[in-house]
Amino acid sequence: MTTAVVRGALEQPYEYSRRELVEPDWRRFPGWADVTEEQWRDPQWQRAHCVKNARQLHALAGGLLSEAFYDDLAEDQAKFATMSMLLPPQMLNTMAPSVTSGFTEAFLADPIRRYMLPVASDRDPVWPSHPHSSRDSLHEAEMWVVEGLTHRYPTKVLAELVSTCPQYCGHCTRMDLVGTSTPQVDKQRLLLKPVDRQDAMLDYLQRTPGVRDVVVSGGDVANVPWRQLEAFLMRLLAISSVRDIRLASKALAGLPQHWLQPAVVEGMAKVAQAAARRGVNLAVHTHVNHVQSVTPLVAEATRAMLDAGVRDVRNQGVLMRGVNATAEDLLDLCFALQGEAGILPYYFYMCDMIPAAEHWRVSVAEAQDLQHAIMGYLPGYATPRIVCDVPYVGKRWVDQAVAYDRERGISSWTKNYRTLLDTESPDQDQHFPYYDPISSLPEAGRRWWAARR
Ligand code: SF4
């Protein structure tokens, strides 16, 4: 007698089921009750109707949000906010997308709201900032070779063309430079005229053929007038040592209407053709942190970029508590990006050690657990790496720490190349620290930090 082996579907820690993308109905907000689809798709309308302050949010949401919420928001802006408020309707509409009652509670708990519209009650009540947090925590400006051009890795540079974005994220790592000043943060300014800065960047790249990879960023390149951006990219493509160009734009998700404009799509097609002729890999990198942001318009804008000839559209999200720091949230997002929107899940960065970010940050141990938990579900090439951007080192996979004191939350990392700040060869024994949020530590670790306050 043979025993029949029944091989059914096993129960898994994460169950995949395909979900259609949905554009939330913006008419649920009283202030947008009469907004037409034509207006919604118009990037000019979107930019003109961004919510920039509590008064405008009040006018939009009416009685949907309680007065206590506005007080919480005002307190945050006065005491903590490192970024000013700037929310395109597209982005705001992905918050509490399908709630009909109990809107304030749902809005408060919403993952997009948590990082795009922080309130004081979100912040860590004991350690809102880590003692080692700092503005420009990655020391990018220290590694500028010309204004806005960070040369941090041997073969790669970051070109900051602009210091503004169509949307401002509460956790922005470039909070030192990007956006308008807040009561807490008087921002640095780019001093050169855009044209002079671009000339200086291109001149450096011409003189430095060891650099083959240019991340064109900001801010957000969606805020560079298209003709100016196209001209810069064409000049970049004329430098024979440049082999990879990546355009950084969160607006692909926050304001997809921008990337759907005919002039932008046609311009991108010209740039992509030139890149293909020269054998240069041209890609768009975006920044999506939660599945709610992946709507049909985002997929449409991505398709427009791919059809224009961009080789790839990739996502670099940020790992944040209360936003996406569970395996389920990460996998839901990655499946929507990869399976429905044509965006490759690429990286999740641990949130950097900027001021007032402790409530968002997770420990290295939690990040390691999350990396483990998301393995094996997505195709290998679409399984994102969770990385820690270690000050003075650069990106490291979370499992690359060479030592880790879990009680005090201090991990150590090494590097294998020199940055502009290193005058001598890298010392393999030199360790660079990264710090877990203190509230994530065991009692003994929290006491250790408290004694040093
Ligand atoms: S889009 Fe990027 S650069 Fe702009 S505020 Fe957000 S994180 Fe910062």
Side-chain angles (χ1 to χ4, degrees), residues 83 165 167-169 172 178 219 250 287:
M83 298 298 291
C165 308
Q167 64 285 307
Y168 290 135
C169 316
C172 180
V178 168
K250 184 182 175 85
H287 166 193

Side-chain angles (χ1 to χ4, degrees), residues 83 115-116 163-175 178-179 217-220 249-251 287 318:
M83 298 298 291
Y115 82 94
M116 292 302 297
S163 61
T164 62
C165 308
Q167 64 285 307
Y168 290 135
C169 316
H171 66 284
C172 180
T173 205
R174 297 203 182 108
M175 46 71 65
V178 168
S217 182
D220 188 319
S249 177
K250 184 182 175 85
H287 166 193
V318 177

Side-chain angles (χ1 to χ4, degrees), residues 171-190:
H171 66 284
C172 180
T173 205
R174 297 203 182 108
M175 46 71 65
D176 194 36
L177 178 73
V178 168
T180 47
S181 295
T182 70
Q184 293 297 318
V185 183
D186 197 14
K187 307 269 171 165
Q188 303 294 342
R189 289 278 158 257
L190 294 171

Side-chain angles (χ1 to χ4, degrees), residues 114-174:
R114 278 180 186 274
Y115 82 94
M116 292 302 297
L117 190 60
V119 292
S121 61
D122 293 334
R123 309 277 177 181
D124 187 309
V126 183
W127 296 94
S129 301
H130 194 282
H132 289 284
S133 65
S134 63
R135 299 169 60 139
D136 191 14
S137 68
L138 302 179
H139 308 280
E140 288 180 331
E142 286 174 54
M143 289 180 247
W144 280 357
V145 283
V146 302
E147 186 184 80
L149 190 70
T150 303
H151 193 168
R152 185 154 78 115
Y153 298 99
T155 56
K156 310 189 267 188
V157 290
L158 169 81
E160 293 167 321
L161 290 198
V162 66
S163 61
T164 62
C165 308
Q167 64 285 307
Y168 290 135
C169 316
H171 66 284
C172 180
T173 205
R174 297 203 182 108

Side-chain angles (χ1 to χ4, degrees), residues 50 79 124 131 144 149 186 211 222 234 258-259 290 312 327 338 366 387 404 413:
C50 280
K79 290 191 191 158
D124 187 309
W144 280 357
L149 190 70
D186 197 14
V211 172
M234 289 302 200
H258 170 84
W259 292 103
H290 193 272
D312 222 339
Q338 166 75 2
E366 288 169 282
V387 292
Y404 188 10
W413 310 75

Side-chain angles (χ1 to χ4, degrees), residues 350 362-369 398-413 431 434-437 440-442:
M350 294 180 69
V362 300
S363 67
V364 168
E366 288 169 282
Q368 290 170 339
D369 288 346
V398 286
D399 289 304
Q400 286 185 298
V402 293
Y404 188 10
D405 176 344
R406 289 199 181 198
E407 189 171 288
R408 295 173 186 175
I410 305 173
S411 49
S412 299
W413 310 75
H431 288 190
Y434 180 83
Y435 301 95
D436 289 344
S440 72
L441 304 180

